[in-house]
Structure formats: structure tokens, C-alpha cells
Amino acid sequence: MGKYILALDQGTTSSRAIIFDHDGSIKATAQKEFKQIFPQPGWVEHDAMEIWTSQASVAAEVLLKARITGDNIAAIGITNQRETTIVWDRKTGKPVHHAIVWQDRRTAAYCDSLIKDGKEQLIKDKTGLRIDAYFSATKIKWILDNVPGVREKAEAGELAFGTVDSWLTWNFSNGQLHITDVSNASRTLLFNIHDMKWDDELLSLFGIPASMLPEVKPSSEVYGYSEATLTPYRIPIAGIAGDQQAALFGQMCTEPGMLKNTYGTGCFMVLNTGDKPIPSKNNLLTTVAWQINGKTTYALEGSIFIGGAVVQWLRDGLGIIRHSADVEKLAATVPHSDGVYFVPAFAGLGAPYWNQHARGTMVGITRGTSAAHIARAALDSIAFQTMDVLKAMEGDAGMPISELRVDGGATSNNLLMQFQSDLLQVRVVRPHITETTALGAAYLAGLAVGFWDSIPSIARQWKVDATFEPSMETSQRQQLCKDWKRAIRAAQAWTAED
């Protein structure tokens, strides 16, 4: 038995590989950014070959950094940016088009037409999702309809569709595996989360041939082996989960009512709802969390499209900071945002508003507004959006939430975490290991090969790094929340044509 688990964390802006030991501690990590492609406003693409080569190269690099070889690895776990859509040729293994990223809005008008045709309830009942350009089905349809010759090839059974997990397992297994797991399948708009199968009625609605689809598997089992792409060793590929579900598992939110928020490019709050899918009355998504040993766990999720990406924009778009980490220092030079509110709806508004036509809006700017106030308002916006989703979740779950477990890059920002606790009036807990997405994938893979013997024994590894308790005056919090609501109304007013 190998002594370590290799987690591959394929994210929106970078590919990472992390090696975990039996205590769930990090032995080594490697990361590589890759190119973001913006062919026109609202369109976001990745080069799928670059996703694969960057992920393969960090996987090789992390073994070198850890000074180990493939025979020290007990299993590989994969976690990935979800909804991002790749279609490739089964014979050549080459993509027929760039990957269309989850943030991409090119199918928004088609989504509007489906809603107009009254398809919203049918889709929501089967998939737990809303009709939105965010999900994979409309992206697959766009590729079939817009890339010459592709629909014919798809109908002849020559093409494969996959989200990023499928693309990576296909390549690591040298074309032996065309699979996905239940958590990723549940984000495509094509998967029925009640009978846990691809849905013929939905495939026909979107005009997608069933032959393109991967086989759906549990989130933790030995699916197959890496062929000689990574090392000469055949390593079991044994765990797959979409990034947010993996983070929920890595945070050990394994009981109903437990909740985490990941602060990444976007922010994603996920609540474990146990063995029953809870339909949302508050514009959240009902989704599959994972399936282990034949038992399916469901979740409610609120997606905020722009979280940490707002800090990247301050760095790359505005140029007011040189490094993302500088934002906390700059924001801390002022006591508050001085009445500036920033709604970073660069790619529309996600939960609980779901306005795909909204755009970024800044209000309350005066002659005295400085770069520091804008930085503060940008950080505040991450906490405000999280608050909106948490309130919607409390409504759906029918219970107050007392603790939020947090992870992701922005959680190292103590200023933001304290403000988050103040707004929510709940305890915010940051774990010792904030790489919970990769850790979740490692746990799923390790359970499948017996590297860890049970979920309770893994849960004992979870350790707290810092806790933030609310300390803001009620009147101040109420005023902030009221003004944030006004800022949201301003962002939505911009979408009205008249």
C-alpha cells in the first residue's frame, strides 16, 4: 500500500496537485496557472489541451517535490471546476472546440427562450437546477450547433462529452475511462437526481445524443488506473467530486445541517441536507453532494459567480494592487468603505437573484473615494453576497444556522472573515488546512482503497485554525445590509432597457 494520496485539483485559473499523508497533512504541492480566453464580452474559454498538460505536469512535479515515486501513491483523487464543457473526438482524443467555461454567458438568450417556453419547472423538478447558461447542457448544444461537422460526428457516436473530471480521467487512463461521478453529472442539466440517471427527455429537449455522455459512477470507488502518462506506475483513480462537493466533504460536513462556504474565484455555499433532495423556494440549487457505498447524500447550494475574482480584477483590471495578497493591507488603511458599495456582477448575478444580464456596479462614490475605499468595498461585496445566500439557505432548510465553516484562498484575509461573521451573526470557523477541495478528493479516493477506514476516523483529523465571533453593533449591521440591498437594486435597474 502506498503511503500517500495524490489529489488533482483542476480549477478555473490553475491546475494543482497536492500530496496528502495519512494524517491529512500536506506533504507537497505544485500549481500552474493557465490561459483565460475571452473571445468576446461574456464568453470565457479554456484550451482543453492546456488543462490536461498543466494538470499532468503539476502531477509529475509534485512527486518530485515530495521526493517519492508513483509506487508511493495509494490512489489518485480528482476534483474539478464544474459545468465547464469539453467535447472531443473519441479516436484522436482531440477537442473539437475550446472548453466552454462555467462563467460563459453565450447561451443566455437560448436559456431565456427555454424559460419563455415554460420549461423551467420540468428542468427544476428533474435536475434540482435552474435554467441558466452556467450549466453544461446549453454549452454542449452550442458546440453541436456552431462548430461545422460536429453534430454529424456526434450523431455517428464519434464524439465524447465530459466535464473536466471526465476529460482528465480519459487522458490519465489513456482513453480507457469515459466516466464522471454523480456530483459532476448533477450539474449538467441532463441528469435526473431522483433516479440518478441521464434523462432521455432532457437529452431530447437539448438535442444531445446519449452516445456522447460518460458513464456515471459513485464519488468513491476504484474506477480504473492511470496508464503510463504520469509515471510508469499504474495508480488507482479512485475518487471524483466537483470542487464544491469535494470541499464540503473535505470540511467534514458529513451530517445534515452542516454548512461550508468556499471563497475561490466564485463563492460557493453548500449545505448538507442528508439523504433527501430539498427543493428550494429561495432560488438555490438542489444538487447531489456525493454517493459513497451506494448511499446518496444531497445538498443545497448557492453560487456566487464573482468572489475572489473581484480581487484579481482590482489587480489586473484597475491596477490598484500589485499582488492579490496586498488587498487586505490596502483595505485596512481605511476604517470602512465610506459609503461605497460594489456589486461585482461581471458575469451576471448568481444566487439568490439569478439575473444573468446584471453587470458590475459601484455606487456611493464621492470626490473623497480612494483606492482603499474601493478595495474595502470589493472585499465587503464578497461578505454581502455570502450573507444573501446564507439567509436563503436558512429559509429553505427551515432552521437557523449557527456556524459557517470556510475555506479557499480569501479565508486567509482576517479582515474579511471578521466582517463576514459580523454580517451573518454566526461563528465563522477556518480549519487548519484550507485546501479542503483537494483534501475532499483525497479522502474520497483514500476511502475507496482502504487508505482510511471510515468517515468518522477521517473526521477526527479536522482541526480549527481560527474562529471569528460577531462583534458589530446591530444598528450598524442593519444599516450596512439596507445599503447593500439598495446597491443590488441599482445593479438590477441597469438591466432594464427602458
Side-chain angles (χ1 to χ4, degrees), residues 277-289:
I278 295 181
S280 175
K281 298 183 189 68
N282 293 290
N283 288 336
L284 301 176
L285 306 174
T286 305
T287 200
V288 176

Side-chain angles (χ1 to χ4, degrees), residues 21 34 63 66 83 92 112 142 187 253 314 334 369 381 408 442 487:
D21 66 16
F34 56 86
L63 289 173
E83 297 96 16
T92 65
D112 289 344
W142 188 92
R187 311 294 296 190
C253 295
L314 295 178
V334 291
T369 298
S381 77

